[in-house]
Amino acid sequence: MYGYALRIIIAGMIFCLLAEIGFSQDTLWTRRYSGTDYEKARDFLVTEDGGYVLAGNRGLYGAYILRADSLGDSLWSITLGSQPHHNIEAICHRTDAEGYMATGYIDPGPYGNSDFWLVAISEEGDTLWSRTYGGGAKDRARAMAATNDGGYILTGFTYSFGIGGADWWIVKVDSNGDIQWRRTYGWTDYDVANSIEQTADGGYIVAGYSYLYEWERAYIAKTDPDGDTVWFSVELHQPYKYFTCAKQTIDGGYIVLGLEATGDRQYHDGFHLLKYSPTGNKLWTRRFGALPRRNNAYDLLQTPDGGFIAVGYGFGGVQYRAGLVRTDLQGNLLWGRLYPTGTESSELHAIEQTAPNEYAAAGRAGGDFWLMKLWEPAYCCEVEMITDDEP
């Protein structure tokens, strides 16, 4: 009897200890896809068969898309364009058929004019059609999302339209790429949008930055379904510089990922996570990292337990290392990790959940497309918790 009671007490102590520690993380596998030039995956998506489509750039001259199976083995890859420059920044599933939609910009040179670019790609990797949107100056798409009416929403910045300098530019198109409406947002200097997502009410949440009072200021805006501003928030105090990603949370509010700056605009001390209410009131902020190096945070998602995962890179000794931060619902750190790749630098640009406690993340390792499969086991009383569909 006393032995049984002792075992109960010990089990309870172990449970409390593990609850305090939280979760751990393991890498299931990684894949590198080597090409003939410097390649970087800027976005990816998970396919219905459990595979992956990675999208990004190959060197300075060409958009690059790669299709892989569920184990990360390459099935096909395509390069779109040579000159003028073709750049892909984001990819999503087509709404009207099988295949994919990618957006970015077409640029005749590093300092030339450019246009938003939207291209439809078949399941087999064939280009079906493409559209460009822009004026006579530099216009570049940074993000996109499929919308609930079967169309797509694109955002980035425009020098062709607006009230001066660069302005946020949102372009809403139908399933064929025909423009339904356009909106510009900003002040008199330059404003850049990095992220867009449709919200539950049919509107949009947009994140980026604006140049105000001689400093880049992190900026988030909520719009209605027609693109009219409902509310916005600007971080005016110096430590904030950029918002890179914003997502609606399960409670109807918003989680925003960004960078906190040091006194030099070229350096950032770490990831910054901010939570907003549905009406735009800031509820809390969290910061991760302390080294005065050029860290970057690119993408995040909310996990089934209500917490968050963010990816980017941090300074790890000699090279920049792909980094991942995992938090609880209130943004408190559960764990974080930098991923070594020998003497080469690496970074993660996007993350998706693929199964309970499983995630995939994509970016680059050295000069190659890079895909990682991650597993986050949960433990209770020294017993690993597995899902019902696993043996």
Side-chain angles (χ1 to χ4, degrees):
M1 176 177 177
Y2 291 108
Y4 177 77
L6 180 61
R7 287 196 298 271
I8 293 295
I9 293 172
I10 292 174
M13 293 172 64
I14 292 173
F15 179 85
C16 292
L17 176 63
L18 291 170
E20 178 69 21
I21 294 173
F23 298 96
S24 63
Q25 176 275 328
D26 294 299
T27 302
L28 293 177
W29 50 257
T30 66
R31 297 288 185 272
R32 290 180 62 156
Y33 309 97
S34 300
T36 58
D37 211 327
Y38 180 88
E39 286 120 20
K40 178 189 295 188
R42 296 189 176 275
D43 197 11
F44 82 110
L45 53 82
V46 181
T47 59
E48 290 186 359
D49 61 1
Y52 309 92
V53 180
L54 286 71
N57 299 323
R58 167 169 283 180
L60 296 175
Y61 307 104
Y64 188 45
I65 297 177
L66 183 142
R67 174 76 157 90
D69 64 18
S70 60
L71 297 177
D73 297 322
S74 177
L75 299 176
W76 54 256
S77 62
I78 57 172
T79 300
L80 303 175
S82 55
Q83 284 190 345
H85 298 187
H86 292 63
N87 295 268
I88 286 184
E89 299 285 337
I91 192 167
C92 70
H93 291 279
R94 290 184 64 191
T95 58
D96 59 342
E98 292 184 348
Y100 321 104
M101 298 296 297
T103 194
Y105 57 92
I106 297 178
D107 190 345
Y111 303 104
N113 298 330
S114 55
D115 292 319
F116 274 34
W117 179 42
L118 181 66
V119 57
I121 302 161
S122 74
E123 181 72 24
E124 294 75 30
D126 299 317
T127 301
L128 302 176
W129 53 261
S130 67
R131 301 282 189 276
T132 58
Y133 316 96
K138 185 184 294 185
D139 310 303
R140 295 187 172 184
R142 292 282 187 88
M144 74 175 302
T147 55
N148 55 22
D149 62 356
Y152 308 94
I153 194 81
L154 288 69
T155 196
F157 65 88
T158 177
Y159 277 90
S160 299
F161 311 104
I163 63 174
D167 286 308
W168 285 20
W169 198 30
I170 298 180
V171 179
K172 176 67 174 71
V173 302
D174 63 18
S175 60
N176 297 314
D178 296 324
I179 294 177
Q180 295 176 306
W181 53 259
R182 296 174 289 186
R183 298 284 187 277
T184 58
Y185 313 81
W187 284 271
T188 57
D189 210 315
Y190 66 85
D191 313 280
V192 176
N194 291 319
S195 168
I196 192 165
E197 180 184 71
Q198 189 165 38
T199 53
D201 61 1
Y204 304 96
I205 190 73
V206 195
Y209 65 93
S210 294
Y211 192 83
L212 290 170
Y213 310 115
E214 300 182 352
W215 198 263
E216 286 107 347
R217 311 289 179 172
Y219 178 28
I220 182 175
K222 172 69 175 70
T223 79
D224 66 14
D226 296 319
D228 296 322
T229 302
V230 177
W231 57 259
F232 70 89
S233 178
V234 181
E235 296 292 333
L236 292 177
H237 48 295
Q238 181 170 317
Y240 300 91
K241 291 190 69 172
Y242 308 105
F243 283 156
T244 55
C245 183
K247 302 284 181 70
Q248 189 166 34
T249 52
I250 55 179
D251 62 0
Y254 304 95
I255 191 73
V256 186
L257 181 67
L259 307 175
E260 179 177 329
T262 63
D264 189 313
R265 63 181 294 176
Q266 296 300 318
Y267 291 88
H268 317 118
D269 322 6
F271 293 19
H272 211 82
L273 202 62
L274 300 90
K275 180 67 166 61
Y276 289 84
S277 73
T279 56
N281 296 316
K282 187 165 61 176
L283 302 178
W284 50 255
T285 66
R286 301 287 185 268
R287 172 180 166 276
F288 310 101
L291 291 175
R293 302 290 185 177
R294 192 182 178 107
N295 303 317
N296 258 321
Y298 291 112
D299 191 25
L300 85 161
L301 58 82
Q302 188 165 28
T303 55
D305 65 356
F308 306 98
I309 287 185
V311 295
Y313 67 80
F315 190 77
V318 179
Q319 300 288 342
Y320 296 113
R321 305 298 189 196
L324 192 150
V325 168
R326 173 73 157 91
T327 78
D328 64 14
L329 177 63
Q330 297 299 320
N332 300 308
L333 182 66
L334 295 177
W335 51 263
R337 184 175 175 184
L338 296 178
Y339 296 89
T341 51
T343 59
E344 298 175 303
S345 62
S346 59
E347 56 193 84
L348 292 173
H349 278 258
I351 186 167
E352 294 288 345
Q353 184 158 15
T354 57
N357 297 339
E358 290 188 7
Y359 306 89
R364 72 167 181 90
D368 299 327
F369 267 34
W370 191 32
L371 181 65
M372 304 179 64
K373 188 67 178 295
L374 307 171
W375 177 48
E376 183 185 53
Y379 293 92
C380 173
C381 307
E382 293 190 318
V383 176
E384 182 182 324
M385 309 301 290
I386 62 175
T387 57
D388 292 339
D389 59 348
E390 291 180 303

